[in-house]
Amino acid sequence: IQNIGLVLFVGSVGFIAGPNFFKDLKKNFKTYILLGVIIILSGTAVAVICTLLTEYGPEFWSGVLSGALTSTPGYSAALDAATENIARITLGHAIAYPFGVIGVVLFVQLLPKFLKADMDKGIYTEETALELLEDFFLSFNKDSDIAS
């Protein structure tokens, strides 16, 4: 059941981002990669420093790292790699995950205001959205091996 939920979540995010994903990625590729590397390295550095300065242990801080980055694969990898104190990984993840989600939501809501971005510029009409969805699904049918 856990895997089905994850597949549905990733699939729904893909449908939302799909029509413009590659166009935006091509336009902002370097920025996205740099931002991703900075976020992951800074989070990892904080987790390592906290591991060295506190007595909670690396298991707890690996859970905090995966939770703060809202990384379910990171959480799963930490669980697989741990040989002891597995409950600490879950505790750290459970504590940090809500803050990671809230941070992303606040970032997405506040960044356009700070940058004074025109959010109405990116809104599609219902007709345009339906055309994009139709093109998206037709592209799968066109590229499939199933004869029509």
Side-chain angles (χ1 to χ4, degrees):
I1 291 177
Q2 179 182 359
N3 290 337
I4 293 172
L6 183 60
V7 167
L8 291 174
F9 171 73
V10 171
S12 62
V13 169
F15 282 128
I16 292 168
N20 294 320
F21 177 78
F22 290 106
K23 181 174 68 173
D24 289 342
L25 184 63
K26 184 178 178 183
K27 187 169 101 177
N28 299 314
F29 175 77
K30 291 178 184 176
T31 305
Y32 291 156
I33 296 297
L34 182 63
L35 188 60
V37 168
I38 289 170
I39 290 170
I40 292 169
L41 289 179
S42 62
T44 303
V46 169
V48 168
I49 291 168
C50 289
T51 299
L52 297 173
L53 297 178
T54 66
E55 297 178 13
Y56 292 111
E59 297 86 4
F60 176 78
W61 292 108
S62 65
V64 169
L65 176 64
S66 67
L69 295 176
T70 64
S71 174
T72 304
Y75 171 66
S76 181
L79 287 175
D80 289 344
T83 56
E84 57 186 39
N85 297 324
I86 293 175
R88 287 187 178 190
I89 297 170
T90 303
L91 178 63
H93 187 83
I95 290 170
Y97 193 88
F99 292 101
V101 171
I102 291 168
V104 169
V105 170
L106 288 175
F107 181 79
V108 168
Q109 293 295 316
L110 297 176
L111 186 67
K113 291 178 183 172
F114 290 137
L115 297 176
K116 297 180 180 160
D118 182 11
M119 297 307 290
D120 292 332
K121 185 178 178 183
I123 295 177
Y124 292 122
T125 64
E126 182 179 351
E127 184 178 314
T128 305
L130 289 173
E131 287 175 10
L132 286 170
L133 279 173
E134 183 180 356
D135 291 344
F136 178 73
F137 286 113
L138 287 176
S139 69
F140 280 118
N141 190 28
K142 181 174 45 175
D143 295 337
S144 73
D145 293 334
I146 301 171
S148 33

